[in-house]
Amino acid sequence: MGRKEDIERLYNLLELLEERVNGKRKLKNCDGYLNWPDQGIYFFFSNTEREETTQQRITRTGKSGDLWDRLYQHRGPLTGNYPGGGRHRASRFRLHIGEALIERDGLHSDFPEWGAGDSAVPETRDEEQLLEEQVSNYIRELPFLWINVNTAESRNYLERNLIALLSNFEKEAIDPRSSTWLGKYSPNEKIRKSGLWCVNDVHKKYDSDFLDELESHILKTTPVE
DNA sequence: TGGCAATAAACCACACTCAA
DNA sequence: TTGAGTGTGGTTTATTGCCA
């Protein structure tokens, strides 16, 4: 089977997953009180559709040994010192989106420290709060799905192959992103060309057999309540 | 109903792994 | 060695349950 057929199979498997978990969620409606699986893989979708279908396009996939903790890092806090914001230094997803917003809106002089270092002093965080809020607003509106994957070996294998399959980086573009996709403004070439908010593995080849393993995990995934 | 303790979740900074 | 990304562990905050 070719890459296009494998991508079709992947999206069909995700439709099955969506049925199993009673639909996609958005982070704006989620918290840690839901019974998330301890470990797993998540799929964020864009609100735009794939070519020739009504399916939403995958825009990022990632893994975690503590699923909600990772989703929380992407969502950002609702309360505390930075409500509605977040920490892009703890979430590359947030970092990439913020960089694209800076490029698109010409905000370099407003956020000169964005992405600099692993931590920031409160003064810098105060200055970045406005952009963190914009990033949070963007992420919290993205529909997402998740699967339960217990072993790190499986999570690494599935994530690597998912990204390699979906990435258009230096490959034939399947489901190419529109010119209005925010990632087109990313300073990172891998994001612009892959069509994903991912950098690792976008240039790799994938192993079709991973779809069989993905299906087995989907069939074991249950809804959160 | 209010006070207290226990527990869970939220939050954060830093450490660690892996690949290039 | 560096960058990307996740894992770990400590602290703070919120919630729950119990008792007077």
Side-chain angles (χ1 to χ4, degrees):
Chain A
M1 285 222 288
R3 181 167 161 251
K4 191 173 177 65
E5 289 75 23
D6 286 331
I7 287 177
E8 286 305 319
R9 185 182 172 201
L10 170 61
Y11 277 97
N12 289 336
L13 287 172
L14 292 175
E15 281 194 340
L16 171 65
L17 173 62
E18 185 172 353
E19 287 176 20
R20 286 190 60 82
V21 300
N22 300 328
K24 297 187 183 86
R25 296 254 181 174
K26 291 184 178 180
L27 280 175
K28 69 176 182 178
N29 299 322
C30 294
D31 60 28
Y33 292 97
L34 299 169
N35 58 336
W36 302 101
D38 290 338
Q39 300 139 336
I41 288 177
Y42 55 82
F43 306 85
F44 279 94
F45 296 81
S46 66
N47 286 307
T48 54
E49 294 172 353
R50 300 177 58 215
E51 285 190 325
E52 301 171 14
T53 83
T54 58
Q55 293 166 324
Q56 291 173 309
R57 193 187 189 288
I58 296 172
T59 196
R60 180 185 167 91
T61 181
K63 65 176 189 297
S64 178
D66 186 335
L67 187 61
W68 172 249
D69 203 53
R70 193 65 193 139
L71 291 172
Y72 170 82
Q73 301 280 17
H74 293 329
R75 187 198 67 177
L78 302 178
T79 59
N81 294 333
Y82 302 97
R87 290 196 330 119
H88 69 276
R89 292 175 180 83
S91 160
R92 294 289 148 175
F93 193 15
R94 296 185 66 88
L95 170 69
H96 296 322
I97 290 170
E99 286 177 340
L101 287 168
I102 287 171
E103 287 291 330
R104 189 190 68 180
D105 299 338
L107 303 174
H108 299 85
S109 59
D110 295 317
F111 305 104
E113 300 295 319
W114 187 263
D118 293 331
S119 62
V121 297
E123 289 77 14
T124 301
R125 293 202 61 191
D126 290 345
E127 290 168 7
E128 293 171 342
Q129 173 68 2
L130 192 62
L131 186 56
E132 294 281 15
E133 288 177 11
Q134 290 184 52
V135 171
S136 291
N137 290 339
Y138 183 88
I139 291 178
R140 292 173 193 186
E141 287 295 334
L142 297 179
F144 73 94
L145 292 171
W146 63 94
I147 56 172
N148 186 358
V149 183
N150 288 327
T151 69
E153 185 182 4
S154 286
R155 289 194 297 277
N156 292 336
Y157 172 71
L158 291 173
E159 183 200 34
R160 185 170 63 244
N161 282 281
L162 280 162
I163 293 171
L165 171 59
L166 291 165
S167 168
N168 286 334
F169 184 73
E170 295 181 346
K171 301 173 195 164
E172 176 196 359
I174 297 175
D175 296 330
R177 306 307 300 254
S178 72
S179 59
T180 58
W181 177 54
L182 180 59
K184 293 281 186 183
Y185 296 91
S186 172
N188 193 312
E189 181 188 34
K190 289 182 175 177
I191 291 172
R192 292 196 308 272
K193 291 187 174 179
S194 70
L196 300 170
W197 290 107
C198 300
V199 173
N200 281 359
D201 304 320
V202 297
H203 58 291
K204 291 183 178 170
K205 294 181 178 177
Y206 72 96
D207 168 16
S208 292
D209 292 345
F210 93 91
L211 291 165
D212 295 331
E213 183 165 335
L214 180 71
E215 182 172 10
S216 73
H217 286 290
I218 286 174
L219 294 174
K220 294 174 191 167
T221 299
T222 55
V224 299
E225 295 171 356

